[in-house]
Amino acid sequence: MEEKVVSILNEMAEYLSVAQMKKLQEVMIKNLCEKVPDKKRISNEEYLSMFISAKSIEGCSKRTLAYYKSTIETMLEEVSTSIRKITTEDMREYLSYYQKRNDCSKVTVDNVRRNISSFFSWLEEENYILKSPMRRIHKIKTNQRVKEIISDEDIERLRDHCKCKRDLAMIDLLYSTGIRVGELVNLNISDVDFEARECVVFGKGGKERRVYFDAKTKLHLQSYIASRKDNNPALFVTLDMPNDRLKISGVEIRIRQLGRRLNLVKMHPHMFRRTMATRAIDKGMPIEQVQNILGHSQIDTTMQYAMVNQNNVKASHKRFIS
């Protein structure tokens, strides 16, 4: 019965004022729900559990699910009231308190806001609440910094200082394809088509796509695979026995170490992805194709990765304006 009441209220929301909606809700609950036998009340924890299950079915990764869970659990511990009674003011106060307590950046707070907003939007869509308290809490404006990319010179220096065939093949594949580090470590040798110079990866949400690599990467990958003595199906494995599949943390540590040897202190795997996108755009690849290669569902996300080379902007200005 409660679900029907919420459904009716949602339909009437665009025709009535806030005061009228509150009165309608009060009257309907009093006359329709009072005589219905009490149903088991759903706790905040149960709502969260149902939300996580729904996101899992949608294909969210374990890492994303864990982030959703920890973010929302922290919020529910601080805002000690029933989810159905949480207001916009409650959430504004919580986000302000969260930022002050953790002394975190606007980007971090906006990530928290986005996760909580997804939770309440799901509750609204499933008719568990009348209206999400996050609707009037908009994206937090942050300073857009032009993120650094890896120069051609630094890429060559990284290649020259690789002391093993695995690292050289790994750097080339990251640089050539722009794949995520999580996609890299999940690759198997059987996923690579050396003849076509392409491989199949599974991105966020388990979405399958093909990515492509150059001739140099092909040679380095084949040389690395030929040098291995193990039978592990993984494309990249640890250097020491028993040669287990390489983990994300292993790639991150290795890239960081290689960067530090050359005084490139900010080097990390994701930098190769951003560099590949920027190079592709600078050389004239249509943004829609870059979006497809990177596996983005929204083109706005692609634009954040593909920071336009300022040297090209300056050259265009001289050509068209000066």
Side-chain angles (χ1 to χ4, degrees), residues 5-37:
V5 171
V6 172
S7 180
I8 293 170
L9 291 171
N10 282 336
E11 288 187 29
M12 296 300 295
E14 61 180 297
Y15 303 108
L16 303 177
S17 66
V18 175
Q20 290 171 327
M21 284 294 294
K22 287 183 178 179
K23 188 61 180 177
L24 176 61
Q25 182 179 10
E26 180 185 327
V27 172
M28 289 186 71
I29 291 175
K30 179 179 179 181
N31 288 276
L32 298 178
C33 298
E34 201 170 51
K35 297 178 182 179
V36 177

Side-chain angles (χ1 to χ4, degrees), residues 182-221:
E183 296 167 345
L184 178 89
V185 298
N186 285 329
L187 276 172
N188 290 325
I189 297 174
S190 59
D191 295 325
V192 183
D193 183 341
F194 287 103
E195 188 66 29
R197 295 212 309 257
E198 63 183 38
C199 52
V200 177
V201 298
F202 292 89
K204 292 183 177 180
K207 291 183 290 186
E208 178 183 325
R209 74 180 192 283
R210 291 184 181 277
V211 294
Y212 311 97
F213 50 87
D214 56 24
K216 184 184 292 185
T217 303
K218 172 183 175 179
L219 293 174
H220 290 158
L221 278 171

Side-chain angles (χ1 to χ4, degrees), residues 147-152 154-155 158 174-178 267-283 290 294 304-307 309:
K147 297 180 179 179
E148 295 180 15
I149 61 173
I150 309 170
S151 69
D152 293 341
D154 287 338
I155 281 291
L158 282 168
L174 285 170
Y175 186 63
S176 184
T177 62
M267 191 63 60
H268 54 84
H270 208 79
M271 208 168 179
F272 291 88
R273 183 170 168 82
R274 189 187 310 128
T275 301
M276 179 268 178
T278 304
R279 287 174 60 236
I281 295 257
D282 284 347
K283 292 185 177 182
V290 179
L294 295 179
Q304 291 176 13
Y305 283 77
M307 297 300 176
N309 190 313

Side-chain angles (χ1 to χ4, degrees), residues 39-282:
K39 293 167 64 178
K40 178 180 178 294
R41 286 188 176 275
I42 301 176
S43 67
N44 288 356
E45 291 73 21
E46 288 174 308
Y47 279 126
L48 176 55
S49 178
M50 289 189 291
F51 170 71
I52 296 299
S53 296
K55 287 296 176 183
S56 178
I57 292 171
E58 289 176 13
C60 289
S61 67
K62 291 182 179 180
R63 194 173 183 178
T64 300
L65 294 175
Y67 189 32
Y68 271 128
K69 191 171 186 292
S70 64
T71 302
I72 298 167
E73 275 182 341
T74 302
M75 181 272 291
L76 293 175
E77 288 173 2
E78 296 294 337
V79 185
S80 55
T81 185
S82 169
I83 280 174
R84 296 168 67 92
K85 296 180 180 179
I86 293 176
T87 64
T88 300
E89 289 71 26
D90 291 333
M91 296 316 305
R92 283 201 180 106
E93 288 180 10
Y94 171 72
L95 290 173
S96 177
Y97 166 74
Y98 183 94
Q99 185 174 21
K100 290 177 182 177
R101 182 188 65 181
N102 297 288
D103 190 27
C104 52
S105 68
K106 290 182 180 180
V107 174
T108 300
V109 177
D110 194 58
N111 288 338
V112 171
R113 178 204 60 81
R114 189 171 63 249
N115 281 2
I116 295 173
S117 182
S118 294
F119 175 53
F120 280 108
S121 294
W122 178 82
L123 289 171
E124 182 181 336
E125 290 169 2
E126 295 294 321
N127 290 330
Y128 288 120
I129 59 175
L130 176 61
K131 181 180 178 181
S132 167
M134 301 296 291
R135 273 197 191 183
R136 289 185 285 125
I137 302 179
H138 305 297
K139 175 178 171 58
I140 298 170
K141 293 182 179 180
T142 58
N143 296 328
Q144 292 292 326
R145 295 182 179 179
V146 177
K147 297 180 179 179
E148 295 180 15
I149 61 173
I150 309 170
S151 69
D152 293 341
E153 292 80 5
D154 287 338
I155 281 291
E156 291 305 321
R157 290 171 66 202
L158 282 168
R159 286 187 176 121
D160 291 342
H161 284 76
C162 285
K163 295 182 178 180
C164 66
K165 293 182 177 181
R166 185 203 64 180
D167 292 349
L168 183 57
M170 187 168 65
I171 284 174
D172 272 339
L173 192 63
L174 285 170
Y175 186 63
S176 184
T177 62
I179 59 176
R180 301 177 179 95
V181 63
E183 296 167 345
L184 178 89
V185 298
N186 285 329
L187 276 172
N188 290 325
I189 297 174
S190 59
D191 295 325
V192 183
D193 183 341
F194 287 103
E195 188 66 29
R197 295 212 309 257
E198 63 183 38
C199 52
V200 177
V201 298
F202 292 89
K204 292 183 177 180
K207 291 183 290 186
E208 178 183 325
R209 74 180 192 283
R210 291 184 181 277
V211 294
Y212 311 97
F213 50 87
D214 56 24
K216 184 184 292 185
T217 303
K218 172 183 175 179
L219 293 174
H220 290 158
L221 278 171
Q222 289 177 324
S223 177
Y224 162 59
I225 293 171
S227 69
R228 282 170 51 177
K229 306 298 182 182
D230 62 273
N231 295 317
N232 196 318
L235 181 58
F236 292 103
V237 296
T238 58
L239 297 177
D240 300 323
M241 294 292 289
N243 302 116
D244 294 324
R245 180 184 293 272
L246 198 59
K247 296 181 180 179
I248 290 176
S249 58
V251 179
E252 292 173 338
I253 291 170
R254 196 64 168 183
I255 296 295
R256 198 178 303 124
Q257 289 174 342
L258 289 170
R260 283 175 180 167
R261 289 178 195 167
L262 302 172
N263 293 320
L264 304 173
V265 293
K266 295 182 180 179
M267 191 63 60
H268 54 84
H270 208 79
M271 208 168 179
F272 291 88
R273 183 170 168 82
R274 189 187 310 128
T275 301
M276 179 268 178
T278 304
R279 287 174 60 236
I281 295 257
D282 284 347

